[in-house]
Amino acid sequence: MKVLKFGGTSVGSAARMKEVASLVCDGSSKVVVLSAMSGTTNSLVEIANYLYKKNNDGANEVISGLIQKYYEEIELLYAKGETKAKAKELVNSHFDYIKSFTIDMFTAHEEKAILAQGELLSTAMFHYYLAEQGEKSALLPALDFMRIDKNQEPDSAYIKENIQKELEKAGEAEIYITQGFISRNAFGEIDNLQRGGSDYTASLVGAALNATEIQIWTDIDGMHNNDPRFVEGTYSITNLSFDEAAELAYFGAKILHPTCVLPAKVNNIPVRLLNTMEPEAPGTLISSQQQKGRITAIAAKDNITVIKIKSGRMLLAYGFLRKVFEIFESYKTPIDMISTSEVGVSITIDDDKHVHEIVDDLKKFGTVDVCTDQVIVCIVGDLVSDTKGHANKIFEALKEIPIRMISYGGSNFNVSVVIESQFKKEALNVLNNNLF
Ligand code: ASP
Ligand code: MG
């Protein structure tokens, strides 16, 4: 069985939903994971923000706008008056539920319940459409099998057992539709896999069902070898290894959520990135196959802050780095890149919410410098095996650009450098010319 995931834009209107239907109805049995219609989750976040501030008028205005939008799409999506009426009733019941939160106390639990409504709506609407078309589809309620544990990690054993039960309950169908993004937590409350988490759902479902393939459908033709917004003549990469994909997904390639790679890799299930606008195109296939000695892609991540700690106490000391890392940990701030010398360490972060507190705490170890507006440029490929000369080619290309940090050998598949953001475009282009 294959698992196919379609993002918000792919189900963003009646017309796009119809295209998805024609793509998935090919006679073979499959699971289809859907995001909310594009814009919906953002609007639901907006509603929640109004409700936190007790601004019911603000919330109601966004709600009315959404209902209006759904009504319009319903008119275009269904042929029969009967289905239209049923779909409008569905929309009303979900928004009545959201409106019920204007009365009572509003906390993070209610917010999560609100955020879940987008995927519940898109999947039910798609199910009604397939039914009207005479297709055999069934809904698999994600809230009945998708679960995260106390550490917000997916509970794989629970998911595996319960999705199987839901499949049996649903009986025989061609298209099993389920909601991306939403889950329950360890206490049985409605929760989610974080923004953009539908890719993660697809991967977890694929792993739970031991799928033959996981397909992530978007509106781009796969993962590109460089950033097309800054470099001309980029191309879609036909084959990527799981390791390369994991590096690239983190470094800003928006097409695939970074969390999606791990469950697929662990279960060795190929992931294919495909384009709904160009369904025949090969896209990008991510698998365990690693092409030897190849430089595969270049990517960049913006808004990086570099923190440098210089300390005489680091010299010959043990436990120094642990103390430094614990400070970041205490502010729940992930460290992305590090580079060390005998007397200092440089660290990059992309979440600078607590940078002031972190710097204050670090000052007890030595002098601390902070540089904002930095960029990590990463070169991904089979770079640190027996092949020679990659580093030379990379730094030859970058010879005119001031480099702040370098990381080489952290994994076999990534060389990263930190530069100032004003040099980003130049760096991506000179690397492109030298490496491809
Ligand atoms: N609808 C959710 C979001 O907008 C999940 C997703 O689309 O992946 O973040
Ligand atoms: Mg996405």
Side-chain angles (χ1 to χ4, degrees), residues 16-85:
R16 302 300 301 273
M17 273 203 193
K18 289 180 190 180
E19 280 165 35
V20 171
S22 69
L23 275 172
V24 301
C25 297
D26 62 358
S28 68
S29 185
K30 56 181 69 64
V31 176
V32 172
V33 177
L34 299 183
S35 291
M37 291 176 87
S38 57
T40 299
T41 312
N42 285 341
S43 298
L44 295 173
V45 169
E46 219 183 312
I47 293 168
N49 287 339
Y50 278 126
L51 294 179
Y52 275 122
K53 293 181 191 130
K54 301 248 167 284
N55 182 346
N56 286 351
D57 292 341
N60 281 323
E61 203 178 306
V62 185
I63 292 171
S64 305
L66 271 179
I67 294 176
Q68 180 73 26
K69 178 185 140 104
Y70 276 91
Y71 273 25
E72 282 163 20
E73 298 305 332
I74 284 169
E75 283 302 326
L76 299 167
L77 182 57
Y78 305 106
K80 295 183 192 152
E82 200 185 313
T83 330
K84 288 180 189 177

Side-chain angles (χ1 to χ4, degrees), residues 58-359:
N60 281 323
E61 203 178 306
V62 185
I63 292 171
S64 305
L66 271 179
I67 294 176
Q68 180 73 26
K69 178 185 140 104
Y70 276 91
Y71 273 25
E72 282 163 20
E73 298 305 332
I74 284 169
E75 283 302 326
L76 299 167
L77 182 57
Y78 305 106
K80 295 183 192 152
E82 200 185 313
T83 330
K84 288 180 189 177
K86 193 169 140 191
K88 283 183 183 165
E89 220 172 276
L90 170 89
V91 168
N92 291 343
S93 74
H94 283 275
F95 285 101
D96 284 346
Y97 176 68
I98 294 174
K99 281 181 195 160
S100 74
F101 296 119
T102 57
I103 301 159
D104 269 336
M105 215 173 64
F106 196 77
T107 69
H109 300 304
E110 283 78 21
E111 177 179 7
K112 283 173 176 162
I114 286 186
L115 291 196
Q117 303 308 308
E119 271 73 9
L120 291 169
L121 273 165
S122 64
T123 46
M125 282 170 65
F126 189 63
H127 177 52
Y128 290 177
Y129 178 71
L130 291 184
E132 193 181 66
Q133 298 298 306
E135 303 289 348
K136 281 197 90 181
S137 80
L139 276 174
L140 302 179
L143 295 179
D144 292 348
F145 66 81
M146 193 53 79
R147 191 160 87 167
I148 50 176
D149 63 18
K150 283 190 186 128
N151 303 314
Q152 314 285 311
E153 292 294 328
D155 185 342
S156 307
Y158 181 95
I159 298 168
K160 200 179 175 93
E161 187 187 329
N162 286 280
I163 195 169
Q164 211 59 55
K165 282 189 195 155
E166 290 305 319
L167 273 173
E168 279 156 30
K169 242 199 255 171
E172 207 174 313
E174 183 189 334
I175 319 282
Y176 295 96
I177 307 164
T178 192
Q179 297 86 19
F181 176 60
I182 67 176
S183 68
R184 288 196 188 269
N185 61 25
F187 311 101
E189 297 152 343
I190 297 180
D191 212 311
N192 61 60
L193 306 175
Q194 312 285 329
R195 294 302 305 273
S198 293
D199 294 357
Y200 201 13
T201 302
S203 184
L204 292 167
V205 167
L209 297 174
N210 199 17
T212 50
E213 185 170 294
I214 298 159
Q215 297 182 350
I216 307 287
W217 289 80
T218 64
D219 47 7
I220 332 175
D221 61 347
M223 191 91 89
H224 274 233
N225 70 320
N226 205 333
D227 192 329
R229 292 167 301 179
F230 300 98
V231 179
E232 270 174 43
T234 65
Y235 50 84
S236 144
I237 309 160
T238 45
N239 282 283
L240 269 178
S241 69
F242 288 121
D243 295 305
E244 290 173 322
E247 304 276 10
L248 285 171
Y250 169 72
F251 281 95
K254 279 244 164 58
I255 179 169
L256 182 69
H257 200 268
T259 50
C260 171
V261 182
L262 189 63
K265 179 183 166 166
V266 169
N267 295 280
N268 197 15
I269 301 169
V271 178
R272 213 180 271 279
L273 309 178
L274 292 158
N275 185 358
T276 37
M277 306 297 225
E278 220 185 309
E280 303 302 325
T284 298
L285 177 66
I286 304 167
S287 70
S288 56
Q289 302 278 314
Q290 175 68 50
Q291 198 167 317
K292 278 271 152 236
R294 174 187 71 171
I295 293 188
T296 308
I298 301 162
K301 196 163 176 77
D302 298 323
N303 296 320
I304 298 295
T305 300
V306 175
I307 301 171
K308 185 189 281 175
I309 307 114
K310 269 199 328 215
S311 169
R313 272 191 273 166
M314 190 173 162
L315 195 64
L316 301 175
Y318 53 83
F320 180 81
L321 286 177
R322 177 178 54 76
K323 289 181 205 144
V324 167
F325 290 160
E326 271 171 0
I327 290 175
F328 288 82
E329 191 182 348
S330 69
Y331 292 102
K332 292 196 163 66
T333 301
I335 294 171
D336 296 319
M337 204 173 132
I338 61 167
S339 129
T340 63
S341 85
E342 261 317 312
V343 291
V345 53
S346 281
I347 285 168
T348 72
I349 56 173
D350 65 23
D351 171 4
D352 62 0
K353 217 183 326 168
H354 298 291
V355 69
H356 297 298
E357 294 99 313
I358 290 172
V359 168

Side-chain angles (χ1 to χ4, degrees), residues 422-435:
Q422 54 169 317
F423 300 115
K424 170 179 163 178
K425 186 172 176 185
E426 187 187 344
L428 293 178
N429 277 283
V430 290
L431 285 167
N432 205 68
N433 293 343
N434 248 36
L435 301 182

